[in-house]
Amino acid sequence: MGRRRATAPADDVVRTQAEALSQACDAGGEQLDAATVAAARQVVAKVGERSALAGDHTVVALAGATGSGKSSLFNALAGAPLSEIGARRPTTSSPTAAVWGPAGAGELLDWLGVPQRHTVASSTQEPASEVGTLDGLVLLDLPDFDSREAAHRAEAERVLALCDVFVWVTDPQKYADALFHDDYVRRLAGHAEVMFVVLNQVDRLSPEAVEACRADLTRILADDGVAGVHVLTTSVRSGAGMPELRQRLANAVAGHVAARHRLSADLTASAGRLRRGVADAEPALGERADGRLVDALSRASGVPVVLAAVDEDYRREALGRTGWIFTRWGRRLRPDPLRRLRLDRVPSQVLEDVDPLDVREVVGRSSIPAPSASARSAVKLAALGLTERASEGLPVLWSEAVSDAAAPTDDRLYERLDRVVVTTPLRSRPPVWWRAMGWLQWVFGLASVVGLVWLVALGVVGWLQLPQIDTPKVGAVPLPTLLLVAGLVFGLLSAWLARAAARVGARRRTALVRGRLHDAVAVVATEQLVDPVQDVLGRHRRTRELLEDARLT
């Protein structure tokens, strides 16, 4: 009985609970209910303060409604009229403490804020039949929790939040009172291991009525969530049940574990209340942005405009190097499409296999048109889709945090996209066929020029009636004529082939650049939208795990 050691969480377990609850409050931040977080932080502070107090005292509070006889019960246990008793209500205005044993409890009572304190000589007060001792017991008589004075009720609730064990004292008239059950017993249902329930003043009833009241009270307590609690029946006037109550108090004191039970239960209860604001799991979200979001950001950053310019630039440069030798110079006079967009500052000799992120940073903005209202709306719709997937099943505050994290309202997002486009390589090393075709065009052009000059010379000689020059022939065709015709025909034919090859090369270059820009925009989308959402989900996961650790269930 009084010597038994109750199983209780070890000190390091309680500290671990408190640390987990504190870290959960930090991790949850504004996504947890502010009032519940404040209450949880108070519990964590109480754990630290109570654990730091020296001594093995156990604080037991007698709490009850007006007229329940708790002050009489307090005096009977203490063996002296320490607490005022009278018909005037309310009688008890501030807590009164009775301390058993030689060890002083001044520091503990100062922390409890109990000015009225008395020392009880346990050796003269405890019956010889009891097993164990009450040494180390700090018994408190609290103000009525249903007092007409608001200050009295507040004082009772303040001390109830700090004590180690609470004894609910009720009587046959008020044992079913809604205030007692709804505001106190049900709210502290998770503290059954540090809770006694006493049905006092049973001398007013017959034994049969006492058993009926006790059975009914036990049923109501089970409805409150406090199942298996043994209801003690006591009477100060007749002494009934007093030895059993003393023995229960001796049991609570003997193990010196009631304080850890209470602190652990408070931490578990606080974590449970916070846990209601956290979902059971987080939605599965990919590590990278989805195609819809990347496409929307690509359109908003002007990627279609850039790709059109890349296609035009490739064909312009290709035909400028491989087109017909006599007309290619005209293409040099056409405006550079990339220069118009201020995208010509990435060196064209960058190899195709070079990582675009390794290209040197270019200071300044492009001349790509700003995203239109429809493009921005498309980005918002795509971000909304990301938000809907990421917030599925989350509580309201966490869903709002996800929405805020994925909201593309900051112009810095579009500035980052513009910078990515500017620094992405849009050109590559000139293909080998450009050089080969260019040499062929020079050969065909030179042949046609030689043939033309030769024919002009022959014409001048004939016009001046000079001696005829022997002209070589290829079959029946004079060589100068063959050179002129062949140079022109093959030059134009090769130019036509070069134009067809330029279209194919432009498509390939555009596809290459599209892939580069898609990857670059995907990185921005991931960093600016997906990663912030992942951070919120990560905080939710950590908060949930920490609260599970703090609940100790």
Side-chain angles (χ1 to χ4, degrees):
M1 295 270 302
R3 301 288 183 185
R4 77 176 179 89
R5 299 285 178 173
T7 302
D11 288 334
D12 58 342
V13 174
V14 176
R15 284 195 298 269
T16 299
Q17 280 185 271
E19 291 174 2
L21 183 59
S22 178
Q23 293 174 12
C25 292
D26 294 337
E30 297 180 354
Q31 280 64 61
L32 297 176
D33 179 69
T36 309
V37 169
R41 293 192 185 280
Q42 290 179 353
V43 171
V44 172
K46 183 185 77 170
V47 170
E49 294 168 359
R50 182 68 178 91
S51 301
L53 294 172
D56 291 326
H57 292 94
T58 300
V59 181
V60 179
L62 298 179
T66 303
S68 60
K70 57 182 175 53
S71 295
S72 299
L73 203 61
F74 175 82
N75 292 336
L77 291 170
L82 303 181
S83 185
E84 182 181 355
I85 303 174
R88 182 177 57 86
R89 296 290 182 264
T91 300
T92 306
S93 60
S94 61
T96 301
V99 182
W100 274 258
E107 184 180 4
L108 176 60
L109 290 172
D110 290 341
W111 177 70
L112 291 169
V114 179
Q116 303 180 54
R117 52 192 76 172
H118 307 275
T119 301
V120 178
S122 59
S123 60
T124 61
Q125 298 299 332
E126 296 173 13
S129 60
E130 290 185 3
V131 179
T133 177
L134 294 181
D135 285 352
L137 172 65
V138 177
L139 187 65
L140 302 179
D141 181 23
L142 302 186
D144 302 332
F145 56 61
D146 64 345
S147 173
R148 296 191 302 269
E149 298 291 336
H152 294 183
R153 297 195 302 271
E155 182 66 5
E157 292 178 359
R158 182 189 68 81
V159 179
L160 275 174
L162 300 177
C163 67
D164 302 329
V165 178
F166 33 88
V167 179
W168 301 118
V169 181
T170 186
D171 61 84
Q173 290 182 325
K174 293 187 176 181
Y175 74 84
D177 184 67
L179 174 67
F180 168 53
H181 290 278
D182 295 344
D183 292 357
Y184 292 93
V185 177
R186 187 169 298 169
R187 183 165 56 89
L188 295 170
H191 297 65
E193 292 185 352
V194 290
M195 180 188 302
F196 299 163
V197 179
V198 174
L199 181 63
N200 197 25
Q201 301 176 357
V202 296
D203 58 289
R204 300 178 181 179
L205 304 175
S206 64
E208 294 78 8
V210 170
E211 288 303 319
C213 287
R214 176 157 58 179
D216 192 35
L217 178 55
T218 301
R219 177 190 60 79
I220 297 174
L221 290 172
D223 293 339
D224 292 337
V226 187
V229 173
H230 179 66
V231 178
L232 303 178
T233 56
T234 60
S235 172
V236 175
R237 180 177 300 176
S238 66
M242 295 302 295
E244 185 180 2
L245 177 58
R246 286 179 178 273
Q247 187 62 68
R248 289 297 184 93
L249 295 176
N251 292 349
V253 172
H256 304 297
V257 295
R260 294 202 299 274
H261 268 305
R262 172 65 196 274
L263 295 177
S264 179
D266 283 346
L267 291 168
T268 299
S270 294
R273 287 189 290 271
L274 287 174
R275 184 66 177 78
R276 299 188 193 109
V278 179
D280 294 332
E282 298 75 33
L285 193 65
E287 295 295 331
R288 291 179 60 85
D290 62 6
R292 180 185 177 189
L293 182 58
V294 174
D295 290 342
L297 288 174
S298 297
R299 290 193 297 272
S301 60
V303 169
V305 176
V306 175
L307 295 178
V310 169
D311 181 273
E312 183 182 353
D313 176 74
Y314 185 93
R315 287 186 287 107
R316 170 184 170 275
E317 190 173 357
L319 296 180
R321 298 193 184 194
T322 64
W324 196 33
I325 193 69
F326 300 110
T327 58
R328 70 168 62 171
W329 59 272
R331 295 191 173 274
R332 304 271 183 189
L333 300 179
R334 296 184 180 182
D336 186 339
L338 294 182
R339 180 171 296 177
R340 287 201 309 265
L341 300 177
R342 298 185 64 190
L343 299 175
D344 61 320
R345 287 165 289 173
V346 177
S348 60
Q349 63 268 26
V350 177
L351 298 178
E352 294 184 2
D353 58 350
V354 173
D355 187 349
L357 298 180
D358 293 335
V359 180
R360 61 182 175 85
E361 290 290 333
V362 180
V363 179
R365 290 181 56 86
S366 71
S367 296
I368 300 173
S372 63
S374 61
R376 288 178 179 263
S377 298
V379 172
K380 290 181 179 180
L381 287 175
L384 180 60
L386 171 66
T387 298
E388 291 176 349
R389 295 195 308 275
S391 60
E392 184 178 0
L394 295 182
V396 175
L397 292 177
W398 289 100
S399 296
E400 292 176 351
V402 169
S403 299
D404 293 341
T409 56
D410 196 340
D411 285 339
R412 286 179 296 182
L413 170 63
Y414 298 102
E415 292 176 0
R416 176 74 186 279
L417 289 171
D418 186 82
R419 189 170 183 83
V420 163
V421 172
V422 168
T423 57
T424 298
L426 305 180
R427 290 173 174 158
S428 301
R429 175 177 293 176
V432 176
W433 73 268
W434 284 9
R435 180 174 299 181
M437 188 62 73
W439 280 108
L440 282 176
Q441 286 289 2
W442 277 105
V443 170
F444 296 146
L446 181 59
S448 61
V449 169
V450 170
L452 179 61
V453 172
W454 197 340
L455 290 175
V456 170
L458 292 176
V460 170
V461 169
W463 180 69
L464 295 177
Q465 297 183 356
L466 296 175
Q468 292 291 328
I469 300 174
D470 188 18
T471 303
K473 294 183 178 181
V474 177
V477 181
L479 181 58
T481 303
L482 181 63
L483 289 175
L484 176 60
V485 173
L488 293 175
V489 171
F490 284 109
L492 291 172
L493 180 61
S494 60
W496 181 82
L497 292 175
R499 184 181 296 274
R503 286 196 296 268
V504 175
R507 287 196 295 269
R508 292 180 177 177
R509 173 69 62 81
T510 301
L512 174 65
V513 174
R514 180 184 291 110
R516 290 176 177 175
L517 290 173
H518 181 278
D519 292 343
V521 171
V523 170
V524 174
T526 301
E527 293 178 353
Q528 299 293 316
L529 300 177
V530 177
D531 285 351
V533 171
Q534 290 283 22
D535 290 342
V536 174
L537 297 181
R539 286 197 301 109
H540 181 275
R541 180 182 301 104
R542 176 161 175 76
T543 302
R544 175 173 54 81
E545 293 173 348
L546 288 169
L547 289 176
E548 292 296 336
D549 293 341
R551 289 175 72 182
L552 199 67
T553 54

